[in-house]
Amino acid sequence: QVQLVESGGGLVQAGDSLRLSCAASGRTFGSYVMGWFRQAPGKEREFVAAINWSGSKTNYPDSVKGRFTISRDNAKNMVYLQMNSLKPEDTAIYYCAVDSDPSRSASLRTVGSFYDYWGQGTQVTVSS
């Protein structure tokens, strides 16, 4: 069982930065692929970033590539999402998620159904 708790959301202006944090429980955290997703009102859940167990491999969609950076600290059981140059269209609830399937440890899935543990989310609002 894995529990995830996100923090760091808030209200910012366009062009500002935010750093989201995700605290994870579980002794085998360091072996999991971790991901960030977001969901805006009336829209489907969207993949934002993923990172492999060691942090050596990351994946981003074009919509955030070059602006967002995912990282992790396995010693602290933490995953981070640094968001720079925020835009109003980045407004959403951001969720941290775990893909605990060891057969996919080398794959950074972009579809939420591959992730089996989710946090409660943190709201990010970007004003224009």
Side-chain angles (χ1 to χ4, degrees):
Q1 189 77 10
V2 178
Q3 292 185 330
L4 304 171
V5 178
E6 302 96 334
S7 60
L11 171 63
V12 297
Q13 293 186 332
D16 285 350
S17 298
L18 270 179
R19 187 195 196 202
L20 304 183
S21 298
C22 175
S25 65
R27 293 178 298 173
T28 57
F29 167 80
S31 63
Y32 298 151
V33 168
M34 301 296 298
W36 285 96
F37 291 77
R38 67 186 180 187
Q39 188 165 21
K43 295 187 177 181
E44 294 187 353
R45 183 172 56 194
E46 178 186 15
F47 169 72
V48 175
I51 189 168
N52 72 337
W53 70 274
S54 67
S56 63
K57 184 178 177 181
T58 58
N59 190 18
Y60 307 93
D62 289 343
S63 58
V64 307
K65 193 173 294 183
R67 299 189 299 122
F68 291 11
T69 302
I70 187 172
S71 62
R72 67 191 296 164
D73 185 338
N74 290 339
K76 296 181 179 179
N77 280 15
M78 295 291 295
V79 178
Y80 306 100
L81 185 68
Q82 177 67 43
M83 305 186 295
N84 299 329
S85 302
L86 283 162
K87 305 175 181 180
E89 51 263 44
D90 294 319
T91 295
I93 299 175
Y94 284 70
Y95 299 91
C96 175
V98 169
D99 179 357
S100 65
D101 189 330
S103 70
R104 295 195 296 264
S105 61
S107 303
L108 301 183
R109 301 292 181 168
T110 63
V111 176
S113 58
F114 285 106
Y115 292 77
D116 40 5
Y117 297 99
W118 294 80
Q120 84 289 349
T122 185
Q123 176 71 48
V124 172
T125 303
V126 185
S127 63
S128 58

